[in-house]
Amino acid sequence: MKHYISFSVVGSLMTMLFLGIVNYSTTPQTIWFIYPCLLLLLWPITLYFLSKRLYKQYAVICSAMVIAFLIIENLLYSPQHLWFIYAIYPIVWWPILMFLEDKAKSLNIAFIGCVSTIVYYAIINIIMSPQYPWAIYPAFLVIWWPLSLYHAQKKTFVAYSVYASIHISIFFIIVNIVSSPSVIWAIYPIFVVLWWPLSMYFYVHKRRLYKSSTM
């Protein structure tokens, strides 16, 4: 493994140098070689940390690299709009979950992660683009985390289908109201979603009848 790491370091540096020379000799007005360089840097870093089984440290280093890359990219090409703040939040959660280990699977962590995500993007939404409540989309996605984990632990799959359908229905209603209140289109996806708990109920009911008839 030591030889593989050495080879990856030399190979990465040689390739990065080559790409940098090509970039500045052909298209100096556009700095494009930094994109493959990020992947090339991950090659020896990944080999080293995985060979040492330093998974937590690997998550920290990779997260820091990606965040630094996004910040540089943002400041180079669109400093008037700090879009990197949208992307760094989910990246930061990678090392956090790695350090939490088995606790990362707990319902408390899922709830904390859900609430903090909603608050984080809601604040950004209010500060940077209050004209449209786009924070409802990441909120809709992250609520699935504690919702799914809770019902998976309790093994209440019929109840999960009911609450999940309610969650989806509320989401479509809110999107309908804020996006196009003049057209009531939310009833169409809601009608389709309602078949989920209905089919789950009849499946469980039919299985119970079958078991009782065979006893």
Side-chain angles (χ1 to χ4, degrees):
M1 181 57 69
K2 186 176 181 180
H3 297 292
Y4 285 118
I5 295 173
S6 301
F7 174 75
S8 65
V9 171
V10 175
S12 297
L13 292 176
M14 287 179 58
T15 308
M16 290 166 63
L17 179 62
F18 171 75
L19 293 174
I21 294 172
V22 172
N23 188 174
Y24 282 103
S25 61
T26 57
T27 54
Q29 68 279 6
T30 305
I31 306 174
W32 54 260
F33 81 100
I34 60 175
Y35 304 107
C37 283
L38 176 65
L39 297 177
L40 288 167
L41 282 173
L42 288 175
W43 179 19
I45 290 173
T46 301
L47 286 177
Y48 174 78
F49 281 99
L50 294 186
S51 65
K52 300 291 185 179
R53 296 186 178 181
L54 301 173
Y55 305 118
K56 298 175 184 178
Q57 293 82 348
Y58 176 70
V60 172
I61 294 297
C62 288
S63 299
M65 285 179 57
V66 174
I67 290 172
F69 173 79
L70 293 176
I71 293 174
I72 294 171
E73 176 73 8
N74 191 172
L75 297 179
L76 280 176
Y77 296 106
S78 53
Q80 70 282 359
H81 179 61
L82 302 178
W83 53 260
F84 73 89
I85 61 175
Y86 301 98
I88 62 174
Y89 180 82
I91 298 172
V92 168
W93 268 95
W94 178 20
I96 291 175
L97 293 176
M98 290 295 293
F99 276 95
L100 287 172
E101 296 181 343
D102 291 337
K103 293 180 181 179
K105 302 176 184 178
S106 68
L107 189 61
N108 289 334
I109 296 300
F111 181 75
I112 293 171
C114 176
V115 173
S116 61
T117 302
I118 293 173
V119 171
Y120 178 82
Y121 284 109
I123 292 173
I124 294 177
N125 191 174
I126 294 171
I127 295 175
M128 301 193 67
S129 51
Q131 63 274 12
Y132 183 79
W134 55 261
I136 58 177
Y137 300 104
F140 168 73
L141 294 176
V142 78
I143 287 173
W144 285 101
W145 183 9
L147 180 65
S148 302
L149 185 61
Y150 173 80
H151 288 285
Q153 292 177 350
K154 299 292 184 180
K155 296 183 179 180
T156 52
F157 303 112
V158 177
Y160 174 66
S161 66
V162 173
Y163 288 111
S165 298
I166 294 173
H167 175 50
I168 296 172
S169 300
I170 293 173
F171 169 72
F172 279 119
I173 291 171
I174 294 174
V175 173
N176 192 168
I177 293 172
V178 300
S179 299
S180 51
S182 58
V183 181
I184 304 176
W185 53 262
I187 57 174
Y188 304 111
I190 291 174
F191 174 76
V192 176
V193 169
L194 291 177
W195 282 94
W196 180 13
L198 186 64
S199 60
M200 288 291 294
Y201 172 77
F202 279 104
Y203 171 75
V204 173
H205 181 67
K206 184 178 179 181
R207 189 173 61 176
R208 288 175 180 173
L209 289 176
Y210 175 77
K211 286 183 178 180
S212 62
S213 62
T214 54
M215 292 180 61

